[in-house]
Amino acid sequence: MSESSAEAVVAATANAAGAAGAAGWRRAGIAGAAIGVLAAGAAAGVAVERLTVGRGMRKKARLALDATGPYGSLRGTPGRAVADDGTELYYEVDELEAAPATADESASSGTRRRRLFGRKAPAPVTVVFSHGYCLGQDSWHFQRAALRGLVRAVYWDQRSHGRSERGRSQADGVPVGIDQLGRDLKAVIDAAAPEGPVVLAGHSMGGMTMMALADQYPALIRDRVAAVALIGTSSGKLGEVNFGLPVAGVNAVRRVLPGVLKALGSQAELVEKGRRATADLFAGLIKRYSFGSRDVDPAVARFAERLIEATPIDVVAEFYPAFTEHDKSGALPGFRDVPVLILAGDKDLVTPSSHSEAIADVLPDAELVIVPDAGHLVMLEHPETVTDRLADLLVRSGTVSAANVGGHGSTAQQPGR
């Protein structure tokens, strides 16, 4: 794609977002397609192979997958944290299964100990999972199924995502930034895990959120964080990512993208109609920019679609500028004193594996895992690999014993466990 043609594509998209009437609605399909690219972490002008199955049949197949797919069905004890701007952040807690006590322990030891010393048992380790852009806490479905009962875990929805409230500051016109997300994570930890050790796990934007937490609250990292998992994420220079597109085309898109996002965000209802009307193209874009292998389970691919579709266009537009400004490489040394897992897919077009390698350069003692044939949503595409490495991190950090990991290290079991 030449630079001039790329500019033409994106300019046409902006015009489509502001159009009205029947012709405008048809052009909104173009806008919806472009937002599909943005939501999948790409840019306009991507070619998708023509689908040969009838549209009606494809729609029925999507509905069938929606009805029968077990993904995203796991629920925990709900809670809400309040961010510093008043935004309510939704989270769920999967509690640790209590180890069975002997008759003597339950009848005498525990009661006597509490009576004599007045001390409660130490707080268990809590694993806090932070999801990525245009996703939600359910993107951790496989890891949640595998680790349930093994560890105490908190899954939360970032502001304006999932079941969390739309950012109140953003409603007042304040741009969202990665620093704000770091403060949000602090609020969730304060509410859901106010004491005891914490393991932080984050994918993409979730990893950036953890870096912002470390940058603003170094004492929390030093005193309470037992281990860190950074999955498919970046510490900066995201403005240099080309999403697998020709360099000239990417440069053109970057020049006009702020105006396009503003236009699309101001015509949210129209663009959402266009996005629904171009569901087939949208599905193809998600598959390309989310997965690295061709044989992804259709139910998993559809699950990824649903997660991304649930993110409103104005939220997509709201968050996107924060990534080009993101630079938290200076915060990474705060993780040097704890076990760290850095994991990425070798075919990730959104946060390329070179960004994980750059993080590993700053954290030379970290375990670096590059997963073959994996894209950006590596935890959905290769869940066993991700869960195995997370389980190993929990063992290395002393969170769980090797004997307890057992069958929890694989998601070969029923996904809706």
Side-chain angles (χ1 to χ4, degrees):
M1 179 186 296
S2 69
E3 186 166 342
S4 58
S5 61
E7 284 186 329
V9 169
V10 183
T13 303
N15 291 334
W25 191 91
R26 285 195 297 272
R27 287 195 294 273
I30 302 173
I35 280 306
V37 181
L38 287 174
V46 177
V48 177
E49 292 183 4
R50 194 176 193 129
L51 301 174
T52 57
V53 182
R55 172 183 274 186
M57 187 173 293
R58 292 195 299 274
K59 184 176 180 180
K60 288 180 180 178
R62 284 195 295 271
L63 291 174
L65 289 171
D66 290 347
T68 61
Y71 309 118
S73 60
L74 300 177
R75 299 272 65 90
T77 303
R80 292 189 182 274
V82 180
D84 57 3
D85 66 346
T87 302
E88 289 192 355
L89 306 168
Y90 179 84
Y91 65 84
E92 293 181 358
V93 181
D94 286 356
E95 295 291 353
L96 176 67
E97 290 179 358
T102 65
D104 289 342
E105 287 174 333
S106 59
S108 59
S109 301
T111 303
R112 183 179 300 113
R113 187 167 303 166
R114 284 193 297 272
R115 185 170 64 247
L116 291 177
F117 301 103
R119 289 191 303 221
K120 60 183 179 180
V125 175
T126 300
V127 187
V128 182
F129 288 87
S130 301
H131 68 79
Y133 177 49
C134 295
L135 298 171
Q137 64 173 267
D138 289 341
S139 61
W140 297 106
H141 175 86
F142 287 106
Q143 291 68 45
R144 189 171 189 171
L147 298 174
R148 247 186 167 187
L150 176 64
V151 295
R152 184 177 191 270
V154 172
Y155 302 87
W156 68 294
D157 292 324
Q158 302 247 26
R159 64 173 51 220
S160 304
H161 290 70
R163 297 173 180 84
S164 284
E165 186 183 12
R166 281 295 299 270
R168 294 192 181 185
S169 294
Q170 286 65 65
D172 294 334
V174 178
V176 67
I178 303 300
D179 283 340
Q180 176 65 69
L181 304 185
R183 295 195 296 274
D184 290 352
L185 176 54
K186 175 65 160 53
V188 170
I189 293 173
D190 288 346
E195 55 185 11
V198 173
V199 173
L200 301 176
H203 168 250
S204 192
M205 182 177 75
M208 302 174 205
T209 299
M210 290 158 46
M211 297 174 203
L213 178 76
D215 191 33
Q216 298 172 93
Y217 304 98
L220 172 66
I221 305 301
R222 182 184 66 247
D223 298 339
R224 295 190 57 199
V225 172
V228 170
L230 299 165
I231 300 171
T233 191
S234 171
S235 59
K237 298 185 178 180
L238 286 169
E240 300 175 5
V241 176
N242 64 13
F243 304 110
L245 300 174
V247 174
V250 172
N251 289 338
V253 167
R254 286 183 183 132
R255 276 204 302 274
V256 298
L257 194 53
V260 171
L261 285 170
K262 185 175 181 180
L264 295 175
S266 67
Q267 299 288 335
E269 184 177 353
L270 181 66
V271 176
E272 292 298 344
K273 287 181 180 180
R275 186 160 72 169
R276 290 193 294 272
T278 56
D280 295 330
L281 177 59
F282 188 67
L285 291 168
I286 288 177
K287 189 169 184 180
R288 173 172 180 177
Y289 284 93
S290 297
F291 306 111
S293 53
R294 295 186 176 183
D295 57 348
V296 177
D297 183 340
V300 172
R302 176 56 191 158
F303 176 49
E305 278 181 67
R306 285 166 44 210
L307 288 171
I308 296 174
E309 285 172 351
T311 308
I313 170 56
D314 40 351
V315 173
V316 175
E318 209 167 74
F319 274 68
Y320 193 82
F323 302 118
T324 57
E325 299 169 4
H326 166 63
D327 182 0
K328 284 291 179 282
S329 56
L332 292 176
F335 297 139
R336 280 180 177 163
D337 295 331
V338 298
V340 176
L341 166 66
I342 304 168
L343 185 146
D346 70 339
K347 295 182 179 177
D348 190 335
L349 298 176
V350 181
T351 52
S353 58
S354 59
H355 286 237
S356 288
E357 291 167 351
I359 295 173
D361 288 342
V362 181
L363 302 173
D365 294 331
E367 178 187 20
L368 174 63
V369 179
I370 306 299
V371 184
D373 295 320
H376 190 56
L377 300 187
V378 60
M379 69 285 189
L380 293 177
E381 186 174 13
H382 295 281
E384 290 87 355
T385 300
V386 174
T387 306
D388 283 343
R389 302 327 305 157
L390 281 174
D392 183 69
L393 178 70
L394 296 178
V395 171
R396 287 192 288 123
S397 64
T399 303
V400 298
S401 69
N404 286 339
V405 175
H408 292 82
S410 170
T411 54
Q413 58 194 310
Q414 289 295 322
R417 177 185 179 276

